[in-house]
Amino acid sequence: MQKILDLISEEVQKAFEAAGYDKELGKVTLSNRPDLCEYQCNGAMAGAKKYHKAPIMIAQEVADRLAGSDVLAEVSAAAPGFLNMKVKETFVRDYLREMRESEKFGLEVPKPAKKIIIDYGGPNVAKPLHVGHLRSAIIGESIKRICRYAGCDIIGDIHLGDWGLQMGLIITELQKRQPDLIYFDDSYEGEYPKEAPFTISELEEIYPTASAKSKEDEAYKAEAMEATYKFQNGVRGYWALGKHIIHVSIPDLKRNYENLNVEFELWKGESDVRDIIPVMVEDMKKGGYAYESDGALVVDVKEETDTKEVPPCMILKSDGASLYNTTDLATIMDRMEHYQPDKLIYLTDKRQELHFEQVFRCARKTGLVNEDTEMVYIGFGTMNGKDGKPFKTREGGVMRLENLIREINEEMLRKIRENAETKGYTVDEKEAEETAKVVGLAAIKYGDLSNQASKDYIFDMDRFTSFEGDTGPYILYTIVRIKSILSKFAEQGGVLTDTVIEAAVNDSEKSLMLEAAKFNAVMEGAYEEIAPHRICAYIYDLANAFNHFYHETKILTEEDMQKKSGWIALLILTRDILETCIDLLGFSAPERM
Ligand code: ARG
């Protein structure tokens, strides 16, 4: 479906042309003065020079041509040359009727559909998830859903951090505790046990212990580095232990991500490209890209237009060990070979920007990607506490994701009980707890996604969990309200599917209709700019428009059946749009709250 603004623009462009002016002048935008009109066109001002005419005269001529339009109800020329416009109720009605009939409310999907791999999550195995991983998961999941909705073939890869020093630290600590483990016996040639010699809770304790020891004890740290090296180079016992660490961590990670309503299609990790690294290094050397510098192997990636220094991309350290760059590059090679994506999207904290700049340039230069493969990096800002510093626990420690979620859910539960109390009904405890989880997730996700991703934001428990204002719970509350009206209508004997959208009878209804009509434009923008916050802003406006209409209209007691049916139809469309949007943001609405 065409966007509503484009349809209105076309109408005005025709009028410019008919009056003898350049058609391009007829571009219409939303009004800056909603008190005066719904849409405006500033083309007469732009045309004044070219046609040596007062803009107001041009505007008047165009306005005259628009009398009798099927699209526009009121068109007036206003000094110095604006065209102020209101659209016809019947035009909006027809537009919404078509939206309701169309798949995806008339959103047109990009052709040909793109194949995309999105790399988000990036948790490090054996380390608990903390709030730093939260943003990546929340934003990445939403981007994935938006791209998929827009028709792309997109897969998400968690890209586990399973290559670094944490692996060696855990292995070293295990060796101290259980030196007789068969994994440490160099002469052993048999199969290793299927069961790991530790559980997830042991692992969660082993890592911090080892990490603390390595900070105090140089020799311990050296051992851990040695163990990391052995693991990375596939020394049998070390490799087998590393794989145990990964496999024991995964179910725990899955549970955590499931609670966040985040799902990855691929559960690959850095260590999965171990065998590709030597091949890639060889290619880079043969191609004349990689050279030795102070013993290390590097690829130059600086460009003439650089305004800041971009250091060479290091592929291997002087001791032959591979780095974060190396696994990222080898992963690109792997992804190109197995999935042939048109586009790669990465999400991390924006402090990793330089890393990705180097990796992308290196991949491009060494031909790991095709010339037209897009590589997109989205760096997000920090989630801060109310003091403006990175979010911490009350004691000042790193906040674990599970604890953060628990705190939000508790606060939500309290608010749900309080709300029930003021409204004078009783809540079922079990149901209230389930609802608190659903609404709590919306509070966290909306609180995050409503900000532009690159910006830092303040995690404000009170504000995020409020039922009023620009919050997730407010959006859910609106959806629940609509659902409740719809079920009452059904209880009265109304048939939801028989309802038909009608022309608006008052301003608040028309405003709601015009908000709903923006859907495909907003979605296209959110997709093209990879910007979930645009969806948040849209549903906030839509929810406000609905609530305004709701407060001014007695829907269920209306006696004019055609009117009532029109309103119900509009409510259904509004609910469907809101539910589609929150699904794209990665949360859902409860039945009641
Ligand atoms: N594991 C990394 C971290 O915790 C994030 C990984 C992001 N993805 C990537 N392909 N480098 O910082």
Side-chain angles (χ1 to χ4, degrees), residues 1-4 95-109 149 516-524 573 577 580:
M1 254 177 100
Q2 262 185 297
K3 283 169 261 176
I4 190 163
Y95 191 82
L96 291 202
R97 281 183 181 173
E98 193 183 335
M99 263 180 94
R100 199 177 167 206
E101 295 304 310
S102 308
E103 209 186 316
K104 299 180 182 176
F105 314 105
L107 173 70
E108 291 189 14
V109 301
Y149 191 72
K518 288 178 188 163
F519 178 82
N520 58 0
V522 170
M523 213 40 83
E524 198 180 291
L573 180 65
I577 291 176
T580 299

Side-chain angles (χ1 to χ4, degrees), residues 13 67 77 100 204 273 307 313 382 424 434 490 504 523 557 564 569:
Q13 284 170 340
R100 199 177 167 206
E204 283 186 358
V273 295
T307 49
C313 187
T382 313
E434 282 310 308
M523 213 40 83
T557 51
K564 183 167 172 178

Side-chain angles (χ1 to χ4, degrees), residues 146-280:
I146 293 168
C147 292
R148 191 168 285 160
Y149 191 72
C152 302
D153 174 7
I154 180 165
I155 48 182
D157 184 3
I158 189 165
H159 199 71
L160 296 170
D162 58 5
W163 193 246
L165 183 61
Q166 85 267 28
M167 305 303 273
L169 282 167
I170 294 167
I171 295 173
T172 300
E173 184 57 25
L174 271 173
Q175 190 167 19
K176 302 273 177 220
R177 295 182 187 190
Q178 305 179 55
D180 297 334
L181 279 180
I182 192 152
Y183 302 89
F184 301 115
D185 178 353
D186 290 341
S187 60
Y188 182 71
E189 283 180 359
E191 294 249 327
Y192 291 110
K194 295 245 170 328
E195 277 296 295
F198 44 75
T199 63
I200 182 69
S201 22
E202 284 167 303
L203 210 51
E204 283 186 358
E205 176 268 321
I206 293 174
Y207 172 72
T209 310
S211 167
K213 281 192 191 169
S214 76
K215 282 186 187 118
E216 273 160 22
D217 183 344
E218 277 298 320
Y220 189 96
K221 171 135 192 224
E223 273 179 71
M225 283 169 72
E226 171 74 20
T228 309
Y229 186 84
K230 285 185 174 164
F231 162 71
Q232 291 186 349
N233 285 281
V235 172
R236 280 185 78 240
Y238 287 73
W239 184 253
L241 271 180
K243 287 287 153 184
H244 280 316
I245 298 173
I246 296 165
H247 292 140
V248 166
S249 299
I250 286 178
D252 188 54
L253 286 169
K254 283 208 166 138
R255 188 179 50 77
N256 272 288
Y257 282 109
E258 229 164 73
N259 284 336
L260 285 173
N261 208 359
V262 168
E263 202 186 319
F264 297 95
E265 285 67 35
L266 295 178
W267 278 76
K268 293 198 168 194
E270 295 167 338
S271 69
D272 283 311
V273 295
R274 194 193 85 200
D275 295 339
I276 300 175
I277 293 174
V279 182
M280 182 185 79

Side-chain angles (χ1 to χ4, degrees), residues 119 122-124 133 159 161 270 324 328 346-348 352 355-356:
D119 179 316
N124 301 310
H133 294 111
H159 199 71
E270 295 167 338
Y324 191 40
D328 261 333
Y346 293 82
L347 262 111
T348 73
Q352 295 193 24
H355 163 74
F356 283 98

Side-chain angles (χ1 to χ4, degrees), residues 416-573:
I416 287 169
R417 286 202 192 110
E418 189 182 270
N419 187 45
E421 217 164 274
T422 41
K423 300 243 164 75
Y425 59 85
T426 48
V427 282
D428 174 74
E429 226 5 70
K430 261 249 108 30
E431 187 187 335
E433 273 170 33
E434 282 310 308
T435 308
K437 273 193 208 156
V438 176
V439 185
L441 188 61
I444 299 182
K445 288 197 169 187
Y446 191 93
D448 188 308
L449 293 169
S450 53
N451 303 286
Q452 208 178 316
S454 60
K455 299 225 166 87
D456 296 348
Y457 74 95
I458 290 179
F459 184 88
D460 182 339
M461 175 84 87
D462 271 346
R463 192 168 74 76
F464 286 10
T465 58
S466 170
F467 286 9
E468 277 151 42
D470 190 7
T471 71
Y474 170 69
I475 303 291
L476 298 192
Y477 204 77
T478 305
I479 294 173
V480 167
R481 173 174 275 165
I482 298 177
K483 284 187 185 172
S484 140
I485 301 170
L486 296 178
S487 53
K488 284 192 188 126
F489 175 77
E491 277 163 29
Q492 291 177 343
V495 181
L496 293 173
T497 45
D498 287 350
T499 59
V500 183
I501 290 180
E502 298 293 346
V505 295
N506 59 43
D507 283 350
S508 65
E509 185 184 7
K510 191 177 182 191
S511 302
L512 172 57
M513 291 174 89
L514 288 177
E515 276 308 326
K518 288 178 188 163
F519 178 82
N520 58 0
V522 170
M523 213 40 83
E524 198 180 291
Y527 165 69
E528 275 167 6
E529 290 166 31
I530 320 189
H533 72 274
R534 303 218 6 193
I535 297 180
C536 293
Y538 171 63
I539 57 177
Y540 181 52
D541 287 346
L542 185 60
N544 278 336
F546 164 75
N547 283 310
H548 190 187
F549 166 70
Y550 167 81
H551 288 299
E552 294 201 337
T553 318
K554 293 210 162 52
I555 301 170
L556 289 165
T557 51
E558 176 58 46
E559 301 202 332
D560 179 334
M561 286 323 274
Q562 193 180 352
K563 236 192 220 175
K564 183 167 172 178
S565 150
W567 289 338
I568 293 293
L570 177 58
L571 259 57
I572 294 174
L573 180 65

